[in-house]
């Protein structure tokens, strides 16, 4: 391109700039501000979309309308949720995991016990260990909505059952467990559930096999009765089991494991094994 062509190009570009300035000056200020706002909003939304794809951001609409944002999809959760009916011994287990003692677990919890710590049994181990974020959610029916605050971040759920007082509590325990197993936040992520039969040190405690079978029978009844409920009433639930077959935990969308423990004596090895399977050291 010779010097004359360059000059012609400069003149042409200057004409375009002058025409653009004239066009902008002719636009009313309000319309101009709106146009700039639209362009900026579009750029911001595009940037958020790119970040969401690159970092794996997930926006989870909780029941209370709030949003839980989780960046870096590849980062595994370290949250273990303890739940179950009141009096099942969840708080004993919480303090055994943290302190190796049940000294503070004698009062029924009305607020979640929450903490991030190295498991007490691992305190003498060498090397860097990943802390576990343990949440003990109160079992009282009026306080159970608090569970929804923690399930979206859960690496695992521990449903604690009182092995001694199991029979009188079989129905309410089954209803609560049914609710958990059909929650979208549990099913979609296939959150593993440990069905932990607590207080097995007592002579009158029922066996884990008996408790498992009774819960399966009760959940089978619940599943049958709830099919009569309209879709509008169970829009946030998933169905359990295989149609036409008796319900079994092996049919669940996520893994359900049955184990035993004694929060009072500190025999919680199966619980600790479950935690470390899903929260790697």
């Amino acid at each position: 391109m010779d010097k004359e062509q360059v000059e012609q190009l400069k003149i042409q570009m200057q004409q375009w700039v002058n025409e653009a300035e004239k066009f902008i000056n002719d636009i009313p200020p309000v319309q101009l501000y709106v146009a700039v706002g639209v362009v900026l909003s579009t750029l911001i939304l595009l940037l958020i979309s790119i970040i969401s794809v690159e970092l794996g951001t997930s926006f989870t609409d909780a029941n209370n309308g709030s949003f839980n944002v989780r960046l870096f999809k590849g980062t595994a959760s370290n949250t273990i949720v303890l739940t179950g009916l009141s009096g099942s011994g969840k708080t004993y287990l919480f303090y055994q995991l943290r302190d190796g003692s049940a000294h503070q677990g004698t009062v029924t919890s009305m607020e979640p016990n929450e903490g991030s710590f190295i498991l007490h049994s691992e305190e003498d181990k060498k090397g860097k260990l990943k802390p576990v974020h343990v949440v003990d959610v109160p079992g009282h029916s009026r306080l159970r909505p608090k569970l929804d605050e923690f399930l979206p971040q859960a690496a695992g759920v521990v449903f604690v059952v009182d092995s001694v007082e199991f029979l009188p509590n079989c129905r309410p325990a089954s209803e609560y467990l049914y609710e958990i197993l059909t929650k979208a936040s549990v099913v979609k992520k296939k959150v593993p559930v440990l069905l932990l039969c607590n207080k097995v040190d007592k002579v009158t405690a029922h066996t884990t096999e008996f408790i498992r079978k009774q819960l399966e029978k009760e959940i089978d009844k619940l599943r049958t009765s709830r099919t009569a409920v309209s879709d509008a009433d169970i829009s946030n639930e998933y169905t359990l089991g295989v149609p036409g077959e008796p319900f079994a935990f092996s049919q669940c969308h996520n893994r359900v494991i049955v184990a035993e423990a004694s929060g009072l004596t500190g025999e919680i090895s199966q619980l600790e094994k479950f935690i470390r399977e899903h929260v790697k050291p």
Side-chain angles (χ1 to χ4, degrees):
M1 183 178 292
D2 57 29
K3 185 178 292 186
E4 183 178 347
Q5 289 177 322
V6 171
E7 290 298 325
Q8 289 179 351
L9 181 59
K10 286 182 179 179
I11 293 171
Q12 183 64 51
M13 291 180 66
Q14 185 62 46
Q15 289 176 348
W16 289 342
V17 170
N18 292 337
E19 290 176 2
E21 288 179 352
K22 182 180 179 182
F23 177 76
I24 292 173
N25 290 331
D26 290 340
I27 298 176
V30 174
Q31 293 184 15
L32 184 60
Y33 296 152
V34 171
V36 172
V38 169
V39 172
L40 289 176
S41 299
T42 303
L43 290 174
I44 291 171
L45 289 174
L46 180 61
L47 182 61
I48 290 174
S49 299
I50 293 172
I51 293 174
S52 297
V53 172
E54 294 296 324
L55 299 182
T57 306
S58 65
F59 297 88
T60 304
D61 188 5
N63 290 342
N64 59 3
S66 63
F67 290 91
N68 295 315
V69 181
R70 179 172 56 85
L71 293 177
F72 301 101
K73 190 175 182 179
T75 303
S77 170
N78 69 332
T79 298
I80 296 294
V81 177
L82 297 177
T83 190
L85 298 182
S86 294
S88 58
K90 301 181 300 298
T91 306
Y92 273 98
L93 295 168
F94 176 88
Y95 287 111
Q96 286 287 6
L97 289 169
R98 196 188 73 174
D99 305 325
S101 170
H103 61 91
Q104 296 185 62
T106 56
V107 180
T108 299
S109 302
M110 296 304 289
E111 289 293 333
N113 289 312
E114 185 177 0
S116 295
F117 47 82
I118 301 297
L119 298 180
H120 183 266
S121 62
E122 297 176 338
E123 287 182 349
D124 295 332
K125 289 186 177 181
K126 295 181 179 179
K128 188 175 181 180
L129 294 171
K130 184 176 183 179
V132 182
H133 179 220
V134 181
V135 183
D136 163 22
V137 180
H140 194 285
S141 58
R142 289 183 298 177
L143 301 174
R144 287 179 197 168
K146 291 181 178 291
L147 181 66
D148 293 321
E149 298 176 16
F150 301 102
L151 281 181
Q153 294 85 30
V157 174
V158 180
F159 188 86
V160 184
V161 176
D162 185 337
S163 300
V164 177
E165 300 295 331
F166 171 69
L167 283 178
N169 294 309
C170 182
R171 180 70 178 189
S174 300
E175 291 174 343
Y176 190 16
L177 183 57
Y178 180 94
E179 291 176 12
I180 293 172
L181 294 176
T182 54
K183 283 185 179 292
S185 55
V186 172
V187 176
K188 286 183 178 180
K189 292 173 58 181
K190 294 186 177 180
V191 178
V193 175
L194 178 68
L195 179 57
L196 189 65
C197 304
N198 193 23
K199 306 182 184 181
V200 294
D201 55 298
K202 304 295 184 182
V203 177
T204 54
H206 295 283
T207 65
T208 55
E209 185 67 11
F210 175 81
I211 291 172
R212 178 187 64 79
K213 289 181 178 180
Q214 292 301 313
L215 287 174
E216 287 178 337
K217 287 180 181 179
E218 284 297 325
I219 290 177
D220 192 47
K221 295 176 185 177
L222 286 169
R223 183 183 61 160
T224 302
S225 63
R226 296 200 181 190
T227 54
V229 180
S230 67
D231 291 339
D233 291 331
I234 58 171
S235 58
N236 65 334
E237 291 187 342
Y238 285 74
T239 56
L240 282 180
V242 178
E245 295 184 15
F247 172 76
F249 287 120
S250 59
Q251 300 167 350
C252 290
H253 301 279
N254 51 321
R255 186 183 179 202
V256 180
I257 310 153
V258 183
E260 61 182 39
S262 172
L264 185 62
T265 65
E267 177 44 58
I268 56 172
S269 58
Q270 294 180 29
L271 170 59
E272 291 175 322
K273 179 182 177 183
F274 172 82
I275 291 173
R276 276 310 179 197
E277 282 180 355
H278 302 288
V279 180
K280 300 299 181 182

